[in-house]
Amino acid sequence: MEITFIQAVLIGLWTAACYAGMLWGVYTNRAIFLAFGVGVILGDIQTALQVGAIAELAFMGFGVGAGGTVPPNPIGPGIIGTLMAITNPAVTPESALALSMPFAVAIQFLQTAIYTVRAGAPESATRALEKQDFRGFKLHSNMTIWLFALVGFLLGFLGAYSMELLTTLVGYIPAWLLTGLNVAGGMLPAIGFAMILSVMVKKELVPFVLMGYVLAAYFKLPVIGIALFATIFALQQYNQASNKSVAAANTEVGNDDWI
């Protein structure tokens, strides 16, 4: 599949809006959201959502930095990975995730560079405001957003416009290596879940984790079915906690009356 110049421009604009939206406090810089826009522009929403969903499973864990670490950027799988999967039939959604991870890491370094360049923005905006230079204040306040939009456009446009070159380079990858990348891409969501569990799981919740694994691995239950099971147990736990709170409150009231 060949990407036209107009499609490349649209993908660049979509990437710019989603990337800048991260500073507006909205969740547009997410892999599945980025991938959906690419799928709409290129006319293959199904493949795009497959790549986005697999990337989201992985980014649930390592998409959030732990401590001082810097996580990869979702533009990697959301834009580059989706473009690879749509334009190259040999690239599966799993292998697209693995192939796009170097781009995700490189884009995150680029984002860190933007933050470094704009580190003095608050002071510059404050000085402009003290001088009643409102134009300068708006410039310093919004320059980071404009830089994100510019970088996002360049990433989306260049990624789409040079996809023919990337497809040629992927064609040089041996079949055995593509198979390995496919397996590695399938393992990344599991690593993401493992990172979440290492932080959030408690010993009281281990039976539910094991139950989810059994339902998926042995009973072949789809994700929606597992989510419904989880909802049932969550409601039961909530009702039990509410009943305990009411009982504790009644006990305290009874003790007060006795006093």
Side-chain angles (χ1 to χ4, degrees):
M1 177 182 179
E2 294 184 1
I3 300 177
T4 64
F5 179 80
I6 299 299
Q7 288 176 325
V9 171
L10 291 176
I11 292 173
L13 293 174
W14 174 254
T15 309
C18 294
Y19 197 29
M22 182 178 64
L23 298 180
W24 293 330
V26 292
Y27 290 94
T28 53
N29 193 43
R30 298 298 308 177
I32 194 167
F33 195 77
L34 291 161
F36 174 74
V38 175
V40 171
I41 295 171
L42 298 183
D44 192 351
I45 298 178
Q46 181 177 357
T47 302
L49 289 180
Q50 288 177 352
V51 178
I54 293 174
E56 282 294 333
L57 291 176
F59 272 71
M60 285 176 67
F62 59 81
V64 179
T69 61
V70 179
N73 196 286
I75 290 179
I79 299 296
I80 307 300
T82 305
L83 288 170
M84 289 181 178
I86 292 178
T87 58
N88 192 343
V91 177
T92 63
E94 292 81 6
S95 59
L97 175 60
L99 287 169
S100 64
M101 288 312 298
F103 295 95
V105 175
I107 293 171
Q108 191 58 45
F109 278 108
L110 184 59
Q111 177 175 310
T112 303
I114 297 175
Y115 280 138
T116 303
V117 171
R118 298 297 300 155
E123 290 77 10
S124 300
T126 301
R127 286 195 298 267
L129 192 60
E130 291 174 349
K131 298 177 182 179
Q132 296 186 354
D133 182 9
F134 299 109
R135 180 176 297 180
F137 172 75
K138 292 180 180 179
L139 178 65
H140 290 296
S141 299
N142 299 316
M143 181 59 68
T144 306
I145 297 176
W146 287 111
L147 283 176
F148 266 68
L150 176 62
V151 170
F153 176 80
L154 292 176
L155 289 173
F157 175 78
L158 294 177
Y161 205 62
S162 62
M163 191 48 58
E164 184 176 353
L165 174 61
L166 291 178
T167 301
T168 303
L169 293 176
V170 171
Y172 289 113
I173 299 177
W176 60 268
L177 183 55
L178 274 179
T179 302
L181 291 174
N182 190 21
V183 175
M187 293 174 61
L188 286 176
I191 296 174
F193 272 106
M195 294 181 67
I196 293 176
L197 292 177
S198 65
V199 177
M200 298 180 60
V201 72
K202 300 178 180 179
K203 61 180 181 179
E204 296 85 358
L205 302 178
V206 171
F208 298 104
V209 176
L210 295 177
M211 184 186 69
Y213 172 76
V214 170
L215 291 176
Y218 295 98
F219 290 93
K220 307 299 180 182
L221 202 66
V223 176
I224 297 297
I226 298 175
L228 292 175
F229 265 99
T231 302
I232 294 172
F233 283 102
L235 290 174
Q236 182 184 15
Q237 291 288 103
Y238 175 78
N239 292 331
Q240 289 180 352
S242 299
N243 293 334
K244 290 180 180 179
S245 299
V246 172
N250 292 335
T251 302
E252 291 180 0
V253 172
N255 292 336
D256 292 341
D257 292 341
W258 178 81
I259 291 175

